[in-house]
Amino acid sequence: MSRKGFVSLFSVLFLIIAANAASAQVDPNQEEGVRGSFLSSRPGSSLGSVSGSSSSSSSSSSSSSSSSSSSSSSSSGKQGSSGKTGLGSSGKSGNKSGNKSGNKSGNKSGNKGTVTEVTTGPKNTTPNSGSPSYITASSMGMGYSLFTRDSLGRTVRTNPAKIFKTGDKVRLVVESNIDGYLYVFYRENDSAPTLMFPDARLNGGDNYITKHVPYEVPSSKETDPNYRWLTFNNVPATENLYVVITREPLADVPAGTALKQFCNEKMTECTVPVSNAAWAKIEEGLGDQIIENIAKDFGKERTTNETTAAERGLGLNADDPAPSVVRMAVVSKSKVLVTKVSLRHE
């Protein structure tokens, strides 16, 4: 090839690479679309896949409450967390999800945050302004908020990226936009992962969840107050929580009767190791392309409706606050959505 031809070819390649690099950047306008797509399936929502505000008129919320109640009442899922970790909690919990929706709240959840591209997989999609065409209401989504206790004893949202100190207490609240199954794995630094939820002591080891019902890890309804929070002990470490939502149960992870049989008489101190096959699926899920939206709501107090919904297994409405972090899978037919929440303790 002549030098002139080589230079021309190089120029074309450079332009292609530059164009692809530009397309890999998430347009800030996607902020409302990603969050809006997740919230659009909440009862009382008038959102489309391109809307970012989760607020709706009170008449819209009220009119849809009765119909959404019947549509979400099929769940038998109950939730909790054992929290048998270096965080220093046995954190049992037990939310019910016999789910009736239709909670009313004066709090509007149209929190506008910042879009962070956390795609650890391929960047081969071209985002457009507004809601991305590949993010729809049917796309698999997960929202979560991390709560702590402030100096006044209130339950408030906190930034997962902060540095935690010995004695700090946190609670994770997870919300899915699909009916499915919830798993929480725990791993301290690079130690072997263990199963944190489901728990054989809670709800017969059941881990079925209903969309837009908030699930606490651990539960605020624990009989023993020491188990209501995950408490950082005096050993500095990075505490990693792997939150997994699936459309179908994970074949290599025990739940229900199988989990109870595994733990047998060692319910209180039962530690469930994670097989190599199961962990490979989790790590594979971490590589999927995700669009993430982080709201600027740290420090805001948890509302009464949010607390009631978690304690009674009720679905959140459009007027209820949105999760601090919303993550949507780029591939609409995804069957597994994995979120790694790393909490640094020094």
Side-chain angles (χ1 to χ4, degrees):
M1 179 183 293
S2 67
R3 174 171 179 159
K4 181 177 181 181
F6 178 79
V7 171
S8 298
L9 178 60
F10 179 80
S11 299
V12 171
L13 291 174
F14 178 80
L15 290 174
I16 293 175
I17 294 172
N20 287 337
S23 68
Q25 301 301 314
V26 175
D27 191 318
N29 291 328
Q30 289 182 18
E31 170 191 336
E32 296 186 356
V34 172
R35 185 165 287 263
S37 294
F38 176 82
L39 296 171
S40 64
S41 52
R42 271 190 181 181
S45 176
S46 58
L47 297 173
S49 62
V50 296
S51 172
S53 171
S54 62
S55 61
S56 62
S57 66
S58 58
S59 60
S60 172
S61 177
S62 300
S63 63
S64 63
S65 295
S66 58
S67 61
S68 62
S69 175
S70 61
S71 65
S72 63
S73 62
S74 60
S75 168
S76 60
K78 300 180 181 180
Q79 171 270 346
S81 167
S82 63
K84 301 186 288 291
T85 70
L87 289 167
S89 169
S90 61
K92 301 169 290 181
S93 60
N95 294 344
K96 297 180 180 179
S97 55
N99 302 310
K100 293 182 180 179
S101 53
N103 300 335
K104 296 180 182 178
S105 170
N107 300 297
K108 296 186 177 180
S109 57
N111 297 327
K112 293 187 177 181
T114 56
V115 169
T116 304
E117 185 183 21
V118 293
T119 54
T120 51
K123 301 178 181 179
N124 56 358
T125 322
T126 305
N128 299 312
S129 61
S131 179
S133 60
Y134 47 86
I135 297 292
T136 67
S138 62
S139 297
M140 198 171 183
M142 176 195 303
Y144 71 87
S145 301
L146 188 69
F147 290 92
T148 189
R149 302 296 293 274
D150 67 7
S151 59
L152 300 177
R154 301 176 303 176
T155 301
V156 298
R157 288 165 171 76
T158 190
N159 190 344
K162 68 174 289 186
I163 305 299
F164 295 93
K165 303 298 182 183
T166 298
D168 286 348
K169 301 177 183 296
V170 295
R171 178 186 299 137
L172 191 68
V173 178
V174 181
E175 177 184 347
S176 169
N177 71 340
I178 67 164
D179 296 341
Y181 298 85
L182 173 66
Y183 300 86
V184 180
F185 301 91
Y186 171 77
R187 190 179 190 186
E188 180 179 293
N189 296 331
D190 294 324
S191 63
T194 58
L195 180 65
M196 189 174 179
F197 181 81
D199 188 329
R201 299 169 298 171
L202 305 171
N203 313 314
D206 185 25
N207 65 328
Y208 181 81
I209 61 173
T210 301
K211 64 181 180 181
H212 295 302
V213 171
Y215 291 85
E216 298 181 323
V217 183
S219 172
S220 57
K221 292 190 68 177
E222 277 294 338
T223 303
D224 187 339
N226 293 323
Y227 294 153
R228 295 174 186 171
W229 297 87
L230 299 174
T231 305
F232 290 92
N233 59 21
N234 58 1
V235 180
T238 298
E239 319 284 354
N240 297 304
L241 302 178
Y242 296 81
V243 185
V244 183
I245 293 175
T246 66
R247 297 185 188 272
E248 299 294 338
L250 292 175
D252 299 311
V253 180
T257 302
L259 182 58
K260 290 178 63 177
Q261 291 176 344
F262 178 87
C263 292
N264 199 8
E265 297 179 356
K266 300 179 180 179
M267 294 291 184
T268 303
E269 300 298 330
C270 181
T271 299
V272 183
V274 183
S275 69
N276 291 336
W279 194 245
K281 293 180 181 178
I282 304 307
E283 292 188 320
E284 181 181 356
L286 287 172
D288 292 341
Q289 189 174 10
I290 302 295
I291 299 296
E292 180 179 84
N293 174 268
I294 304 175
K296 299 176 181 178
D297 64 353
F298 303 127
K300 290 187 176 181
E301 187 175 3
R302 193 182 190 188
T303 67
T304 300
N305 266 21
E306 289 180 285
T307 301
T308 301
E311 291 180 349
R312 299 179 59 190
L314 304 177
L316 294 169
N317 282 328
D319 288 337
D320 291 312
S324 296
V325 180
V326 172
R327 310 183 81 237
M328 295 288 287
V330 169
V331 180
S332 61
K333 295 183 179 180
S334 296
K335 296 182 179 180
V336 178
L337 181 58
V338 182
T339 292
K340 179 181 179 182
V341 183
S342 294
L343 306 176
R344 293 179 58 194
H345 167 214
E346 296 182 356

